Amino acid sequence: MHPQGEPLADSGFEIGKDGAGLIVVGYDGTGPSRNALAYAAGLARRDHAGLLIAFVESLTSATLWFYAGAPFVPDPAGDLAEDLREELRGLAVPWQFVAMRGDAIRALESLADASMADAIVVGRSRSMWHSVAVGLARRSRRTVLIVP
């Protein structure tokens, strides 16, 4: 994991708390993930919560295989972190960016478990067959918000 952004304060996890303390957001720079981030940022601002923004690179992605063995491998997570700094500048919400590799559904759920997040927010997937959003909604033990 590559943490970026402002340090998150202790989320103060408590049972029965009104509102969210920490929200995990799946982010890959696409339009739906940008919408999910905007929605989650609004929720976090209203609930005085933190954002944990996660980029998950699939180990089976074509990009990873294309660059296997290449002397220079682009860092999409680093580029996204820079974009986020610009996009979230002035946002009065503590946030942190992490980059992970693996299955997006498992990675986001594990991250939410480890950080005791109250919700996971993701953008709508284009394909119903390989939908991270639908997989999370079926598997997760916490609230999953799917933003169009």
Side-chain angles (χ1 to χ4, degrees):
M1 285 196 256
H2 303 290
Q4 301 285 330
E6 300 174 20
L8 295 174
D10 180 19
S11 65
F13 179 76
E14 65 179 271
I15 295 175
K17 175 185 180 291
D18 287 338
L22 181 66
I23 301 168
V24 170
V25 184
Y27 183 79
D28 62 5
T30 61
S33 76
R34 288 182 185 279
N35 294 345
L37 178 59
Y39 188 85
L43 283 176
R45 184 180 45 77
R46 288 186 295 279
D47 286 348
H48 305 287
L51 291 176
L52 187 52
I53 305 164
F55 169 72
V56 182
E57 183 176 18
S58 173
L59 290 175
T60 59
S61 74
T63 304
L64 188 62
W65 286 108
F66 180 77
Y67 289 106
F72 171 74
V73 179
D75 181 17
D79 295 339
L80 286 176
E82 289 300 318
D83 291 345
L84 283 171
R85 277 194 196 96
E86 290 299 316
E87 205 165 311
L88 297 177
R89 186 170 303 207
L91 180 68
V93 171
W95 63 276
Q96 186 175 6
F97 177 79
V98 294
M100 308 163 71
R101 285 196 172 130
D103 176 66
I105 296 168
R106 287 190 178 120
L108 290 171
E109 181 63 24
S110 294
L111 183 61
D113 278 343
S115 61
M116 293 188 288
D118 297 293
I120 302 172
V121 180
V122 292
R124 180 188 63 207
S125 300
R126 293 176 207 206
S127 169
M128 193 65 172
W129 302 111
H130 302 291
S131 174
V132 171
V134 171
L136 276 170
R138 287 184 180 157
R139 177 186 173 138
S140 185
R141 296 183 306 229
R142 66 191 31 81
T143 300
V144 175
L145 298 169
I146 303 169
V147 179

